Amino acid sequence: MIKPFWGRWACAELCRGTDARVPITDETQRFTALSARLTGFDPGDLAATGLVEVYRAVAAEQLGSERYERLLREVRDPGELRAANGELRAGARAVTYLWYTGSWPGPPPRLVSPRAYAEGLVWKAAGVPAPATDPGGYGSWTEGGRQ
């Protein structure tokens, strides 16, 4: 079962998927650049999700300040991760997982918010909307072309 993330900064159901409570920091650009390298998505595409600051806060909290800073500082190319220690690789993998699924891995994975699920890069990579997030809602496919 995937449970909503209830970390210190990330909002789940109370914020309805917004990042209104997340403070803007100077780390945003560095985190976005790292995320672009890890996911293969353009920084503009990541920013368009509206979740950069939320994910930055989640990653910083879950990884801890030391490991988070090392990840930002040391990972310049995803190919470097093959030679990196297991802790750094695991952190990079967790950030990538966060962007693609909207969840922090773990047992159990923790969903950041309903919006994070809908904005998951897995859906963008597949070119489809996240299930049950289309404006037609659940079951709308049964209507077909009928009016």
Side-chain angles (χ1 to χ4, degrees):
M1 175 169 85
I2 297 177
K3 296 182 180 180
F5 183 83
W6 288 100
R8 191 175 89 216
W9 293 105
C11 296
E13 295 165 347
L14 297 176
C15 292
R16 304 272 187 250
T18 68
D19 53 358
R21 290 182 18 198
V22 181
I24 304 297
T25 69
D26 294 334
E27 297 172 26
T28 303
Q29 188 174 5
R30 290 176 32 202
F31 180 73
T32 303
L34 169 70
S35 298
R37 288 189 299 272
L38 293 174
T39 64
F41 276 80
D42 182 81
D45 292 333
L46 300 179
T49 67
L51 294 164
V52 172
E53 279 295 323
V54 172
Y55 287 174
R56 186 207 57 75
V58 169
E61 182 177 310
Q62 294 298 306
L63 294 172
S65 61
E66 185 178 314
R67 188 164 52 152
Y68 173 74
E69 280 300 322
R70 276 191 60 218
L71 193 62
L72 290 178
R73 186 177 56 247
E74 295 179 23
V75 178
R76 299 285 174 226
D77 177 8
E80 295 172 356
L81 290 170
R82 286 187 212 102
N85 71 25
E87 188 176 90
L88 201 57
R89 264 194 321 272
R93 192 174 301 124
V95 170
T96 305
Y97 185 92
L98 176 63
W99 277 105
Y100 273 86
T101 66
S103 303
W104 189 259
R110 295 185 164 260
L111 182 62
V112 172
S113 69
R115 179 176 174 198
Y117 165 76
E119 292 291 337
L121 296 182
V122 66
W123 311 119
K124 290 171 184 14
V128 298
T133 61
D134 196 333
Y138 181 80
S140 61
W141 63 88
T142 63
E143 298 299 314
R146 292 183 279 165
Q147 303 265 331

